[in-house]
């Protein structure tokens, strides 16, 4: 943000909300209302993230723009590319750098798989492919991606997306506020 000279303050929502998208709306609205009451201009750096349009309703109600897309995958890789990826193999599980860094906490622990590993087939038995949308890959993230692929017992496809699309989408969001 400083590199771009954007006069913004970032308030993060807990990433674990992605496991329960209905809670994204509650938390996002709390932040939006608080910031607007404080006289701040607000934008949500969130795609729909499984809210099925509820985030758009919140944005419309409060006059707040948000990032485009159904999910962060659209922001990182482009909506058309992601749609084609799912059309080619609907049983695709997508990983991001962030999800890889916190997989054990955000997925295994949150879904109870660390305590009840017998539930793995119920949650993940229908997947046929893992795709890593690599934003800023490192050897450690590549090793983690391979470890997770091993847990799934599935092949791993790495798509280097970088962060350019995200940065462009954020720039657009900030410009819309001016």
């Amino acid at each position: 943000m400083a590199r771009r000279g954007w006069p913004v303050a970032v308030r993060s929502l807990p990433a674990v909300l992605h496991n329960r998208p209905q809670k994204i709306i509650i938390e996002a609205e709390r932040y939006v209302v608080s910031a607007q009451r404080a006289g701040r201009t607000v934008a949500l750096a969130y795609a729909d993230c499984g809210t099925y349009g509820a985030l758009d309703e919140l944005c419309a109600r409060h006059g707040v723009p948000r990032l485009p897309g159904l999910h962060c995958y659209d922001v990182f890789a482009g909506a058309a590319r992601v749609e084609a990826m799912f059309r080619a193999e609907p049983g695709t599980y997508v990983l991001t750098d962030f999800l890889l860094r916190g997989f054990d906490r955000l997925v295994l622990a949150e879904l109870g798989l660390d305590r009840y590993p017998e539930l793995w087939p119920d949650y993940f038995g229908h997947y046929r492919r893992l795709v890593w949308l690599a934003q800023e890959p490192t050897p450690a993230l590549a090793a983690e991606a391979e470890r997770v692929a091993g847990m799934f017992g599935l092949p791993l496809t790495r798509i280097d997306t970088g962060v350019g699309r995200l940065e462009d989408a954020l720039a657009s969001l900030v410009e819309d506020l001016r």
Side-chain angles (χ1 to χ4, degrees), residues 24-84:
I24 292 171
I25 304 308
I26 296 164
E27 293 297 318
E29 188 155 36
R30 183 178 309 156
Y31 282 128
V32 167
V33 168
S34 173
Q36 287 180 331
R37 284 185 182 152
R40 294 186 182 101
T41 302
V42 179
L44 290 176
Y46 244 83
D48 183 76
C49 300
T51 71
Y52 297 99
L55 195 58
D56 287 329
E57 291 171 13
L58 178 143
C59 289
R61 208 169 41 251
H62 294 284
V64 172
R66 73 162 177 88
L67 287 177
L70 294 176
H71 31 67
C72 65
Y73 315 139
D74 289 348
V75 177
F76 290 130
R81 186 178 200 181
V82 172
E83 182 182 341

Side-chain angles (χ1 to χ4, degrees), residues 14-23 93 98-99 102-117 119-120 123-124 151:
V16 73
L17 292 177
H18 286 82
N19 290 341
R20 292 166 183 73
Q22 69 278 11
K23 292 185 178 182
Y93 189 87
F98 180 83
L99 188 55
F103 190 83
D104 289 353
R105 179 177 47 83
L106 295 170
V107 178
L108 299 182
E110 277 297 316
L111 297 178
L113 293 168
D114 56 340
R115 297 175 309 279
Y116 306 102
L119 293 176
W120 185 274
Y123 283 117
F124 300 115
M151 293 170 73

Side-chain angles (χ1 to χ4, degrees), residues 114-178:
D114 56 340
R115 297 175 309 279
Y116 306 102
E118 66 275 10
L119 293 176
W120 185 274
D122 294 330
Y123 283 117
F124 300 115
H126 64 285
Y127 288 104
R128 301 288 170 252
R129 173 176 71 161
L130 246 59
V131 172
W132 172 25
L133 300 179
Q135 296 97 63
E136 297 178 317
T138 64
L141 280 176
E144 183 63 5
E146 290 297 335
R147 182 184 78 90
V148 170
M151 293 170 73
F152 276 80
L154 295 174
L156 175 69
T157 301
R158 175 174 151 175
I159 299 173
D160 291 316
T161 64
V163 295
R165 287 181 189 274
L166 171 61
E167 190 167 330
D168 290 347
L170 289 170
S172 219
L173 199 58
V174 170
E175 287 300 316
D176 286 348
L177 295 174
R178 293 181 177 179

